[in-house]
Amino acid sequence: MAAKEKSQNGVIETIKTIVYALLIAGVFRTLFFQPFWIPSGSMKETLLIGDFLFVNKMAYGYSYASCPSIPAVGLDAQALCGFMGDDRILAGQPERGDVVVFRHPVSGADFIKRVVGLPGDTVQVRDGQIVLNGTPVPQDPAGTFTEVFDRQGPQGLLPRCESGAVGQGAACTKSRFVETFPNGEEHVVLNVAVQQSDNTPVYRVPEGHYFFMGDNRDNSSDSRLAQVAGGVGYVPFENLIGRADRIMFSSAGRSMLFFWTWRSDRYFKRIE
């Protein structure tokens, strides 16, 4: 009888340990850092498909978007923390040029893009160049970004090439530019083709909202498109999850578990 009770107590203790571990992990993920794996090429070359990073949730404070989604039980961040409304606790303001993970205002999916427009700004794109508050943002040529034309990540996405159609395994190139915002923040942007998104109307960013764009400008669904047209439009402050500061590691394979495909030059790489 004693052995049976001891066995039952062991099972209960194991369950309690697992529950406590999950609670601690949930609190850590909610308050401090959220893992994020880059699924698409919209932020190349800053972020590559397969980059694994942690999002700093402390950077901008906490809102409903800080809560994790639990699809397995049908719960999302809005269901868990919607009671917070439009409030943000311990709020910190994003700076132009920050790379931010946010929740799509309609679908609730997590997106990662760069902050281009702050509340009250006007933003336009002319011939692929950002015009911010009436002043063109400098873009200096910086060579070529080259990658292998092959399927990337778990979705098997093929990259777009400025060099035109190339065969499997061939070099896929894009023009590379260093863009400098008025605050001195510099980052690399890529050009693939001349397309409709290279020329836009003037957008005026509403108060309490932000304007985002991907660094791979011709391959990014961002604030240049309204939410109803497949873009993200203006993103409310409360939808920001956190700032991406550093890549932990990066997998060039179909899964981040394929450690033999990890890119040796991206361990703990700072995101700029």
Side-chain angles (χ1 to χ4, degrees), residues 160-214:
R160 293 180 64 197
C161 313
E162 186 179 22
S163 51
V166 297
Q168 199 87 358
C172 173
T173 62
K174 303 171 181 63
S175 295
R176 187 174 181 271
F177 299 86
V178 173
E179 188 172 72
T180 307
F181 283 150
N183 61 357
E185 191 277 336
E186 295 183 347
H187 52 272
V188 171
V189 297
L190 303 179
N191 179 74
V192 177
V194 176
Q195 57 188 47
Q196 187 175 355
S197 58
D198 287 338
N199 291 280
T200 72
V202 176
Y203 303 97
R204 184 174 295 277
V205 186
E207 288 302 318
H209 292 71
Y210 293 85
F211 192 97
F212 288 91
M213 291 176 64

Side-chain angles (χ1 to χ4, degrees), residues 95-266:
E95 296 183 8
R96 198 187 320 278
D98 284 359
V99 176
V100 176
V101 173
F102 59 88
R103 296 205 188 279
H104 189 286
V106 176
S107 70
D110 291 351
F111 275 58
I112 185 165
K113 307 287 180 187
R114 190 179 298 276
V115 178
V116 172
L118 304 177
D121 282 345
T122 61
V123 181
Q124 185 180 21
V125 181
R126 295 182 197 155
D127 297 325
Q129 184 176 22
I130 293 173
V131 179
L132 188 61
N133 297 319
T135 303
V137 175
Q139 283 186 352
D140 297 317
T144 302
F145 172 73
T146 303
E147 59 186 332
V148 176
F149 185 76
D150 204 352
R151 297 196 176 276
Q152 302 175 355
Q155 300 178 62
L157 300 176
L158 288 170
R160 293 180 64 197
C161 313
E162 186 179 22
S163 51
V166 297
Q168 199 87 358
C172 173
T173 62
K174 303 171 181 63
S175 295
R176 187 174 181 271
F177 299 86
V178 173
E179 188 172 72
T180 307
F181 283 150
N183 61 357
E185 191 277 336
E186 295 183 347
H187 52 272
V188 171
V189 297
L190 303 179
N191 179 74
V192 177
V194 176
Q195 57 188 47
Q196 187 175 355
S197 58
D198 287 338
N199 291 280
T200 72
V202 176
Y203 303 97
R204 184 174 295 277
V205 186
E207 288 302 318
H209 292 71
Y210 293 85
F211 192 97
F212 288 91
M213 291 176 64
D215 291 348
N216 190 5
R217 292 286 160 78
D218 296 330
N219 197 40
S220 174
S221 176
D222 49 40
S223 292
R224 288 172 290 179
L225 275 179
Q227 297 155 14
V228 294
V232 300
Y234 305 120
V235 179
F237 186 31
E238 63 268 20
N239 282 46
L240 273 55
I241 296 173
R243 186 181 64 216
D245 293 329
R246 195 170 295 273
I247 298 163
M248 304 310 293
F249 66 88
S250 180
S251 172
R254 291 295 184 92
S255 169
M256 65 180 179
L257 299 178
F258 294 174
F259 62 86
W260 57 90
T261 67
W262 290 3
R263 301 174 175 109
S264 60
D265 60 336
R266 297 185 74 78

Side-chain angles (χ1 to χ4, degrees), residues 36-42 48-51 110 112 152-157:
F36 193 83
W37 194 36
I38 303 300
S40 74
S42 69
L48 304 180
I49 294 176
D51 282 351
D110 291 351
I112 185 165
Q152 302 175 355
Q155 300 178 62
L157 300 176

